[in-house]
Amino acid sequence: MNKQLDMTRIPEHIAIIMDGNGRWAQQRGKERSYGHQAGVEAVKRITSESAKLGVKYLTLYTFSTENWSRPADEVAALMGLILTSLEDELFMKNNVRFRVIGDVSRMPESVVQKLRETEEHTANNTTMTLVVALSYSSKWEITKAMRDIATEVKQGTLSVDAIDDTTISQHLATNFMPDPELLIRTGGELRISNYLLWQIAYSELYFCDTFWPDFDEAALHEAIANYQQRQRRFGKTEAQVENEEK
Ligand code: IPE
Ligand code: IPE
Ligand code: MG
């Protein structure tokens, strides 16, 4: 299936900034929402393929805090799509657990209910966890964590001296998974757009020009193959890392 991939070195966690739906549609003379619809098909393909490859966590940036300032009709179309695209079949067929991160209190009640239902229905699936970042931004998440930590200190359940980087990770919405080894952004922009700022401290970054609706299994393989060519040094020297690998 994928000769060029080292199946022993598949990232445990891949995070994706799924960008380029609007431009994909505009190139075809269509409304932006047509691109979002096509983007849902790409989500299904990449979810199935990631589960097959042995990825344990796939975190998809689906709607950012900043996306609330898009035109109302586009926001409404996106909320509608979230509601209709959460089919149990995708999760059950691939044994995938569904989780949401983000400030869902800002989402319509019908969507929140569907998200919670899907989380519950899929809670016991074990092959992979699909994490959807909705109404999410890293600054929102870190601010909330800081407030929660401050509250615990004030209540006397946490001492200031005990706060370390693990404490902060544990207070983030992503506290149930490891940090991503690989971050992919489609659509050609070279920026992070308020996504997982703390968690990508040492992630390998991969940017491609492909618009999200065109991102397919081969494109995913290419990103992983590129990741596998890199040496992750975590501050050490090349020689140190090579010695450790022996
Ligand atoms: C990404 O595609 C999807 C969302 C942000 C919801 P865009 O809608 O940003 O597409 P472009 O970047 O305008 O092409
Ligand atoms: C980032 O895409 C957010 C998502 C993919 C959900 P945007 O298209 O909103 O990013 P910017 O604003 O152009 O950086
Ligand atoms: Mg965009």
Side-chain angles (χ1 to χ4, degrees), residues 18-235:
M18 310 184 289
D19 197 22
N21 294 351
R23 282 165 287 162
W24 183 91
Q26 271 155 3
Q27 269 186 352
R28 285 159 179 76
K30 307 267 193 186
E31 298 281 307
R32 296 176 55 84
S33 57
Y34 181 74
H36 296 314
Q37 234 163 2
V40 172
E41 295 311 311
V43 167
K44 291 180 184 169
R45 280 199 298 273
I46 298 308
T47 300
S48 301
E49 187 62 15
S50 300
K52 278 194 196 114
L53 288 172
V55 173
K56 299 311 284 180
Y57 299 92
L58 178 66
T59 304
L60 302 179
Y61 205 6
T62 305
F63 190 84
S64 70
T65 304
E66 288 74 18
N67 290 148
W68 284 116
S69 40
R70 290 198 177 188
D73 61 340
E74 183 170 344
V75 172
L78 281 163
M79 293 302 140
L81 258 186
I82 293 161
L83 200 57
T84 54
S85 57
L86 283 172
E87 299 154 2
D88 273 4
E89 194 206 338
L90 173 72
F91 303 108
M92 293 311 173
K93 194 175 67 189
N94 297 292
N95 191 25
V96 166
R97 175 169 74 137
F98 175 79
R99 290 288 297 262
V100 182
I101 56 170
D103 186 7
V104 291
S105 67
R106 293 183 69 178
M107 319 266 301
E109 183 49 41
S110 57
V111 177
V112 177
Q113 204 180 323
K114 183 74 185 166
L115 294 169
R116 295 298 172 227
E117 261 173 37
T118 310
E119 283 185 325
E120 281 167 30
H121 288 169
T122 63
N124 296 322
N125 291 350
T126 52
T127 298
M128 186 181 81
T129 303
L130 173 69
V131 184
V132 170
L134 280 177
S135 189
Y136 173 90
S137 71
S138 208
K139 288 192 176 180
W140 162 81
E141 179 189 40
I142 292 172
T143 304
K144 183 175 180 306
M146 293 307 128
R147 285 194 181 147
D148 292 346
I149 289 171
T151 304
E152 287 173 39
V153 169
K154 197 171 154 194
Q155 288 169 343
T157 52
L158 180 66
S159 81
V160 170
D161 292 339
I163 298 172
D164 58 12
D165 66 6
T166 309
T167 317
I168 295 171
S169 294
Q170 282 167 350
H171 285 78
L172 297 176
T174 52
N175 59 8
F176 57 95
M177 57 183 169
D179 289 342
E181 292 95 327
L182 173 61
L183 172 75
I184 298 172
R185 182 172 187 142
T186 67
E189 309 294 355
L190 304 181
R191 56 178 174 251
I192 300 299
S193 305
N194 216 348
Y195 194 41
L196 303 176
L197 297 177
W198 173 273
Q199 298 87 338
I200 61 169
Y202 253 113
S203 302
E204 297 299 326
L205 309 182
Y206 178 86
F207 297 94
C208 65
D209 290 333
T210 310
F211 292 141
W212 176 250
D214 288 331
F215 197 79
D216 60 8
E217 291 85 347
L220 177 67
H221 290 196
E222 205 173 311
I224 297 174
N226 183 294
Y227 159 83
Q228 290 182 340
Q229 283 162 11
R230 305 190 193 179
Q231 186 189 45
R232 307 191 73 202
R233 288 192 284 277
F234 298 100

